Amino acid sequence: MSVLKSTSKSWVKKSDALFCAISTSLPSLRGVSVSRQAFLLINTATVSGVVGLARGDEVLAQASLQLATASNTVVAAVDHILVEARCTLDEVAGIVLVKGPGTFTGSRVGASIAKAIAYAAPCSLLSVTTLEAVAWSGFLTSTTQVTDGPVWALLDARRHEFYVQEFAVRNGTIVSQADAVCLGPGAFDTVRDVGGLAACAFSPAAVPENQRSHERENVVWSFDVYPSCAGILAASAGARSEDPFTLEPLYLRSTEELFDHPKVAL
């Protein structure tokens, strides 16, 4: 256990170092006060991540990220979308971060970069949860018309467990119906008992064989639904304002649980 504790501390130090390195590398951005209209969107919490730039309800540019290389490419991807949109950081009014739950490393990398840019720019920092962004992303891309819900968001938590949260549709808006929970394979039965649209941030292969969909059930399953820029932007209507010095990723599980199996923990 002592080894795991020291590993946990080392990650904290690395994320703090990343925050300092990025924020101090952008000193010319401090104190800039011009017309700000754009929002920077960041998701590195899932195996398929994304960064994007939006103005109003329009996504101007976006770049996909893969978990294996996300930590090395996020800053470069941000720079790329700014160039593509012909925008500079001093035009960014705020950052919308998908803060978790999700992969331990990915969540910390995204949070550190978002905090650093928000501090250096300076600009506002907002957060949405992964499950909120997944619910919105699934809702916006669904071919099934959902007028009053329910809409479910599911995320693979590994160890044969899944993060699950129920939402409803009210006047075209996704509204949380319950807090997110971590459940075993019975999560799929829970969804089936209620029915609705289920947006799953994993492939069908992650579903236990005895829980896979069958004919005549009252659930529309949608797989490989990861937070999209449109979904993050829509979820930001209910985003939380964050302090760049105190924001921490959302894990739902405790650090001790995460580090029981650090290579697969979400």
Side-chain angles (χ1 to χ4, degrees):
M1 182 60 73
S2 61
V3 174
L4 298 180
K5 286 183 178 178
S6 89
T7 305
S8 173
K9 290 178 181 177
S10 71
W11 275 112
V12 173
K13 290 177 181 177
K14 286 181 181 178
S15 99
D16 289 345
L18 182 59
F19 171 91
C20 293
I22 297 173
S23 62
T24 55
S25 70
L26 300 171
S28 62
L29 296 177
R30 293 187 188 177
V32 173
S33 179
V34 296
S35 176
R36 296 170 182 260
Q37 302 176 2
F39 275 83
L40 180 62
L41 315 172
I42 299 177
N43 170 42
T44 61
T46 55
V47 294
S48 181
V50 69
V51 295
L53 194 71
R55 181 178 287 115
D57 59 358
E58 179 187 3
V59 176
L60 304 176
Q62 58 186 307
S64 298
L65 303 168
Q66 294 306 312
L67 175 62
T69 57
S71 61
N72 300 321
T73 60
V74 179
V75 174
V78 169
D79 183 61
H80 172 76
I81 62 171
L82 287 170
V83 171
E84 183 180 338
R86 297 182 179 180
C87 183
T88 60
L89 272 177
D90 59 8
E91 295 176 80
V92 173
I95 300 168
V96 184
L97 170 72
V98 177
K99 68 175 181 179
T103 67
F104 180 81
T105 303
S107 297
R108 294 201 74 81
V109 167
S112 295
I113 291 173
K115 290 163 65 174
I117 295 175
Y119 168 72
C123 63
S124 63
L125 177 59
L126 307 171
S127 73
V128 299
T129 72
T130 310
L131 293 164
E132 289 167 345
V134 168
W136 268 108
S137 299
F139 173 67
L140 293 174
T141 58
S142 175
T143 57
T144 302
Q145 186 168 358
V146 182
T147 56
D148 58 0
V151 173
W152 298 86
L154 292 89
L155 176 66
D156 189 358
R158 307 292 174 90
R159 305 189 213 172
H160 309 294
E161 293 181 328
F162 298 85
Y163 295 125
V164 184
Q165 188 168 9
E166 181 185 0
F167 298 85
V169 180
R170 297 286 183 267
N171 299 318
T173 300
I174 295 289
V175 179
S176 173
Q177 292 293 93
D179 291 337
V181 293
C182 187
L183 302 174
F188 298 92
D189 289 330
T190 298
V191 174
R192 287 190 177 97
D193 287 343
V194 179
L197 170 67
C200 306
F202 47 82
S203 72
V207 182
E209 189 171 351
N210 65 350
Q211 293 290 333
R212 292 180 182 174
S213 58
H214 48 77
E215 295 181 3
R216 299 181 181 178
E217 63 180 18
N218 62 341
V219 180
V220 176
W221 298 96
S222 184
F223 293 96
D224 294 312
V225 178
Y226 298 98
S228 64
C229 285
I232 298 169
L233 188 59
S236 70
R240 303 152 192 83
S241 179
E242 303 281 2
D243 184 334
F245 288 99
T246 59
L247 169 67
E248 289 293 333
L250 174 66
Y251 296 123
L252 292 184
R253 285 174 171 164
S254 67
T255 303
E256 288 73 17
E257 289 177 298
L258 289 170
F259 280 96
D260 282 343
H261 304 282
K263 290 186 178 180
V264 298
L266 289 187

